[in-house]
Amino acid sequence: MAPGPPSSRGAWHSRAGFLMAAAGSAVGLGNVWRFPYITGENGGGLFVVIYLACVALLGLPILIAEVLLGRATGLSAVGAFRRLGGPRTPWAGVGMLGVAAAVVILSFYSVVAGWAIHYTALSTRGALAGLSAERIAETFGQLAADPLLSTAWMVLFMALTTWVVARGVHRGLERTAQVLMPILLALLLLLLVRAAGLPGFGPGLRFVFGLHADELTAGGVLEALGHAFFTLSVGIGGLLAYGSYLDRETDVPKAGLAIAGLDTLIALLSCAVLFPIIFTHGQEPSQGPGLIFVNLPIAFSGMAGGSFLAAVFFVLLVLAALTSTISLLEVVTAYLVDQRRWTRRRATLLSGGAITLLAVPSALAGGPGFFGEGLRARLGGSWLDLAADISSNWMVPLGGLGIALFAAWRWNDLDRQREFGRSSRLAGLYLIWLSLLRWLVPVAVVVVFLHAVGVI
Ligand code: TRP
């Protein structure tokens, strides 16, 4: 069995701290920005049910596998695969793919997170209050098209992320999540109370939770699966690294349930806040990525206390994004620390700096230049669109598949079962967990890929 991690790698100081950090990783733009708009595009209802099934049957088993692989080896992804599969194992490639995916995700995620800071600033100044719908829509277009502004907010966000990760596992990752996550939940509940008093509350909830399938397509089912992986932060070794800082007494299957449960709760609460506001103010739910940057501000501008509520919402978005970008940078950092023996400081500063440069083309995505208009004309999407598409639709599912296959087929059964059952009240679910990883996850991911390339 692998020896415990060298103390210089860092460790969680409490189980609650680990849970908050992992939930913080999972809860992000995926929950508050993307999930509501894809739910809107797919007509709500049945889409949500399919999404819940994907989280429970595909995402959660991988989440548990990642944390267990990290804890068993005391190493982040590449090192963990090497320790269990041999020094020359090709599975290490799955870890490398994860590091690359983290870089690509961060390079667009930080731009969207930067927009959220901009909207926080706008709403606290009351700059959107009383503007016409057209003017509010223009504001978003102008921000996305302004290379300096988009870049400046992105750089600020990356600097914040790098600073937290450089402070280490306990003082950076754990403490930040323990402070920010309760605030996030409180802000969300505050907005929920306000949304509950609106005439659109009933229609909003019926839209999200009612069983209707009118707008669901095969593509929507696949989107639900891709999003289930993304929202749980599985597939790129982030939770594997988080597991490597974990003690042996934690009940990992139970922790996995808690993390996935909290992530799902926050995604659904976000919808329960957004759609009533959207419906009350005559906006359409199916507006795509602009839903919270255009339609939501339009709705807020017509509400009493709208500027305040908008500020609350965008602060919430910034906090959610930050605890996620931290975990993305941690993937790269943990790799450099474990495999290249860099100090954490050096690893974060250099990788954070490099990713900031790589994010610049995404920050130019709304503009007229090559990375915006140019690529849109040639490839149908800006640099940001392409980075989001390649990472979430290809790299993350492929990484999740790799981790599932390694854990379920390559990992020694005795060790695997011992790790799963260690201090766990859910040890009896071992065979169910293993079968989902062995059969359902590979079949589902392969079906998604075949559909994506047009075979089925
Ligand atoms: N889960 C986060 C969200 O929903 C994003 C995220 C953080 C992520 N770490 C990840 C996605 C690792 C995939 C893999 O916003």
Side-chain angles (χ1 to χ4, degrees):
M1 195 60 242
S7 57
S8 63
R9 290 182 80 253
W12 308 113
H13 278 203
S14 74
R15 208 156 299 161
F18 159 72
L19 280 177
M20 281 300 133
S25 165
V27 174
L29 297 176
N31 305 60
V32 191
W33 170 60
R34 189 157 192 271
F35 181 66
Y37 89 68
I38 60 176
T39 298
E41 286 179 331
N42 287 291
L46 195 62
F47 174 80
V48 176
V49 176
I50 293 172
Y51 162 80
L52 293 177
C54 289
V55 165
L57 300 177
L58 307 168
L60 177 59
I62 305 180
L63 192 163
I64 294 172
E66 275 203 34
V67 178
L68 289 177
L69 284 167
R71 186 176 64 173
T73 57
L75 290 167
S76 55
V78 174
F81 287 125
R82 291 213 174 111
R83 170 141 317 161
L84 296 172
R88 316 189 80 82
T89 179
W91 291 99
V94 175
M96 289 309 305
L97 174 73
V99 175
V103 171
V104 179
I105 297 175
L106 253 180
S107 80
F108 78 85
Y109 204 95
S110 55
V111 175
V112 181
W115 292 342
I117 308 187
H118 183 70
Y119 273 79
T120 307
L122 286 181
S123 348
T124 21
R125 286 207 316 265
L128 296 170
L131 293 188
S132 68
E134 293 74 36
R135 281 291 301 133
I136 293 178
E138 270 170 39
T139 307
F140 181 56
Q142 278 163 2
L143 166 65
D146 184 336
L148 276 183
L149 203 54
S150 278
T151 306
W153 291 123
M154 174 278 285
V155 171
L156 176 65
F157 208 88
M158 282 303 301
L160 225 63
T161 305
T162 308
W163 177 70
V164 173
V165 178
R167 288 172 62 84
V169 174
H170 169 60
R171 290 199 314 146
L173 278 55
E174 182 171 359
R175 280 208 189 145
T176 307
Q178 281 192 296
V179 174
L180 298 189
M181 290 304 285
I183 301 179
L184 183 151
L185 208 58
L187 296 180
L188 196 57
L189 291 178
L190 181 87
L191 290 172
L192 185 69
V193 170
R194 186 67 182 86
L198 295 174
F201 193 60
L205 290 196
R206 265 195 298 285
F207 178 74
V208 184
F209 298 106
L211 268 185
H212 42 87
D214 14 319
E215 282 164 57
L216 193 66
T217 59
V221 175
L222 305 177
E223 199 163 15
L225 180 140
H227 186 67
F229 283 24
F230 189 86
T231 191
L232 293 179
S233 296
V234 299
I236 69 167
L239 292 168
L240 202 151
Y242 278 29
S244 75
Y245 309 127
L246 191 61
D247 66 89
R248 304 212 165 259
E249 280 76 52
T250 299
D251 182 341
V252 172
K254 206 174 110 207
L257 264 181
I259 297 162
L262 202 62
D263 184 72
T264 306
L265 179 74
I266 292 188
L268 295 178
L269 281 180
S270 299
C271 287
V273 164
L274 284 172
F275 289 114
I277 298 177
I278 294 281
F279 282 140
T280 302
H281 293 273
Q283 294 294 307
E284 285 296 321
S286 56
Q287 296 303 303
L291 183 70
I292 64 167
F293 291 112
V294 176
N295 306 85
L296 188 68
I298 294 176
F300 276 135
S301 79
M303 275 167 83
S307 293
F308 170 74
L309 293 171
V312 168
F313 176 80
F314 286 111
V315 168
L316 183 162
L317 195 62
V318 171
L319 300 185
L322 183 61
T323 47
S324 297
T325 51
I326 290 170
S327 78
L328 289 161
L329 189 59
E330 181 63 23
V331 172
V332 187
T333 300
Y335 164 74
L336 294 171
V337 169
D338 285 346
Q339 302 308 121
R340 309 264 153 171
R341 307 264 161 237
W342 288 16
T343 61
R344 169 171 284 269
R345 230 181 116 76
R346 173 157 185 238
T348 44
L349 290 181
L350 290 181
S351 58
I355 294 168
T356 305
L357 290 179
L358 287 172
V360 171
S362 281
L364 306 180
F370 171 77
F371 294 110
E373 278 310 315
L375 282 177
R376 242 193 305 274
R378 253 162 279 182
L379 297 174
S382 69
W383 183 271
L384 190 156
D385 300 330
L386 297 177
D389 184 50
I390 291 172
S391 56
S392 357
N393 297 346
W394 296 95
M395 298 173 98
V396 167
L398 196 60
L401 175 65
I403 291 168
L405 291 177
F406 182 87
W409 293 99
R410 183 71 178 76
W411 197 3
N412 169 296
D413 188 55
L414 272 179
D415 291 342
R416 180 176 53 213
Q417 184 160 10
R418 191 179 53 225
E419 276 304 325
F420 184 90
R422 202 187 280 284
S423 329
S424 179
R425 283 197 280 153
L426 302 175
L429 298 179
Y430 175 70
L431 281 179
I432 297 180
W433 170 72
L434 186 61
S435 319
L436 290 172
L437 281 183
R438 282 205 158 155
W439 307 107
L440 196 65
V441 171
V443 168
V445 174
V446 168
V447 167
V448 167
F449 282 153
L450 290 180
H451 181 87
V453 297
V455 175
I456 51 173

